[in-house]
C-alpha cells in the first residue's frame, strides 16, 4: 500500500503524453478512465489551442469573482491576482474564451480534492502552451479546504496549463524537486457540492494504483462566469 503522502502527491500531477503518471517519490501509475472499456467515456471537447499564455499583467493585481457552473450545482471562487498573477491571468483568459465549457472534472482524490480543466478528460490535455514558474505555494505543503490551485507535471514548475484542482478538505501535498503548487484563489460557495462529490467516491472501475480516479458521478463544467 502506498504511503498517504505519496498517494496524495500523485493526484495533482499532469500526465506526460501517454506515459503513466508518477508521484515524485514512488513511481505509482494511474488508470486512464477514458481508456477503460468498462466505463462510459467522459465527455471531451476540442477547444481552440493557443501559442502562449496571456501576460501576467492581465491579472490587474486584483481579485476576480468566478462562478463555475456545473451539472451538479454552482461553485463560486475568488481569484487573487496580486498573489498569483500568471495563474489568475491564465484562468481568466481561458474562462472568457469558453475553454472550460463542457469539460469534465476527470480526477477525484476522495476526502481531499477534485481536479478539472482538461478538455481530453485524460490528464494529458491543455491549452496548447505551458507556463511557469510556480506561484504562491504554501511553505508548509498544507493546502487548506477551499484552496484553488494549478495542477502540473511532477518535478516541472514550467508545466502548468489549464488544469486546476479544488480542495474540499485540508490536505498535505508534498513538494517535489520543482516545489509546491500554485495557489491562486479560494472557494467561496458550493463547498457542500464538492463534499458531496467526494462522498460519492471514485468509480471503482477507474481506480488507479495511487487510489485516485474519476468521480463516481460525472461532474461537467457547463460554463464559467468571471467578474
Amino acid at each position: 500500500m502506498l504511503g498517504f503522502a505519496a498517494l496524495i502527491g500523485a493526484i495533482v500531477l499532469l500526465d506526460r503524453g501517454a506515459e503513466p503518471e508518477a508521484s515524485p517519490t514512488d513511481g505509482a501509475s494511474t488508470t486512464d478512465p477514458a481508456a477503460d472499456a468498462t466505463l462510459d467515456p467522459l465527455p471531451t471537447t476540442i477547444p481552440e489551442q493557443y501559442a502562449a499564455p496571456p501576460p501576467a499583467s492581465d491579472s490587474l493585481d486584483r481579485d476576480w469573482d468566478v462562478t463555475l457552473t456545473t451539472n451538479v450545482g454552482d461553485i463560486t471562487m475568488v481569484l487573487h491576482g496580486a498573489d498569483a498573477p500568471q495563474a489568475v491571468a491564465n484562468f481568466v483568459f481561458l474562462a472568457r474564451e469558453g475553454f472550460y465549457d463542457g469539460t469534465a472534472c476527470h480526477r477525484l482524490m476522495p476526502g481531499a480534492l477534485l481536479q478539472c480543466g482538461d478538455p481530453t478528460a485524460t490528464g494529458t490535455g491543455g491549452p496548447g502552451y505551458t507556463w511557469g514558474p510556480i506561484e504562491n505555494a504554501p511553505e508548509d505543503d498544507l493546502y487548506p479546504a477551499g484552496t484553488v490551485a494549478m495542477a502540473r507535471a511532477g518535478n516541472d514548475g514550467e508545466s502548468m496549463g489549464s488544469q486546476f484542482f479544488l480542495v474540499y478538505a485540508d490536505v498535505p501535498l508534498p513538494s517535489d524537486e520543482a516545489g509546491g503548487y500554485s495557489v491562486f484563489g479560494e472557494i467561496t460557495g458550493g463547498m457542500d457540492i464538492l463534499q458531496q462529490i467526494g462522498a460519492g467516491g471514485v468509480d471503482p472501475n477507474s481506480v488507479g494504483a495511487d487510489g485516485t480516479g474519476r468521480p463516481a458521478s460525472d461532474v461537467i463544467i457547463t460554463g464559467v462566469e468571471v467578474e
Side-chain angles (χ1 to χ4, degrees):
M1 178 179 293
L2 297 177
F4 181 70
L7 184 153
I8 297 283
I11 184 172
V12 290
L13 308 179
L14 308 185
D15 291 332
R16 292 184 180 277
E19 297 177 5
E21 180 182 12
S23 79
T25 58
D26 61 42
S29 63
T30 58
T31 298
D32 176 359
D36 191 322
T38 66
L39 294 172
D40 291 331
L42 285 170
T44 59
T45 62
I46 308 176
E48 183 174 351
Q49 298 286 283
Y50 305 93
S57 58
D58 283 1
S59 71
L60 304 179
D61 287 338
R62 73 170 178 89
D63 288 351
W64 299 78
D65 293 320
V66 173
T67 300
L68 198 68
T69 301
T70 79
N71 63 317
V72 292
D74 289 354
I75 298 165
T76 59
M77 310 182 291
V78 59
L79 310 184
H80 302 301
D83 295 337
Q86 186 61 73
V88 171
N90 180 73
F91 186 93
V92 169
F93 167 72
L94 292 175
R96 286 178 165 174
E97 289 290 302
F99 182 91
Y100 294 117
D101 297 359
T103 59
C105 294
H106 65 281
R107 179 173 293 150
L108 176 72
M109 170 63 199
L113 56 87
L114 179 69
Q115 188 169 330
C116 309
D118 176 6
T120 72
T122 64
T124 66
Y129 59 76
T130 59
W131 59 270
I134 296 165
E135 301 175 304
N136 197 39
E139 294 182 0
D140 62 1
D141 288 344
L142 179 64
Y143 294 75
T147 296
V148 182
M150 293 300 302
R152 62 172 176 80
N155 302 314
D156 187 351
E158 301 289 331
S159 63
M160 289 170 282
S162 60
Q163 296 185 45
F164 60 95
F165 60 95
L166 307 173
V167 180
Y168 58 86
D170 294 356
V171 61
L173 298 174
S175 295
D176 59 18
E177 293 178 6
Y181 301 92
S182 296
V183 173
F184 65 101
E186 60 195 43
I187 299 163
T188 56
M191 187 69 78
D192 56 330
I193 294 171
L194 289 168
Q195 291 168 342
Q196 289 171 10
I197 294 167
V202 173
D203 188 302
N205 294 312
S206 75
V207 179
D210 65 355
T212 70
R214 61 188 271 183
S217 296
D218 292 349
V219 181
I220 312 299
I221 296 173
T222 57
V224 185
E225 182 179 342
V226 178
E227 298 177 352

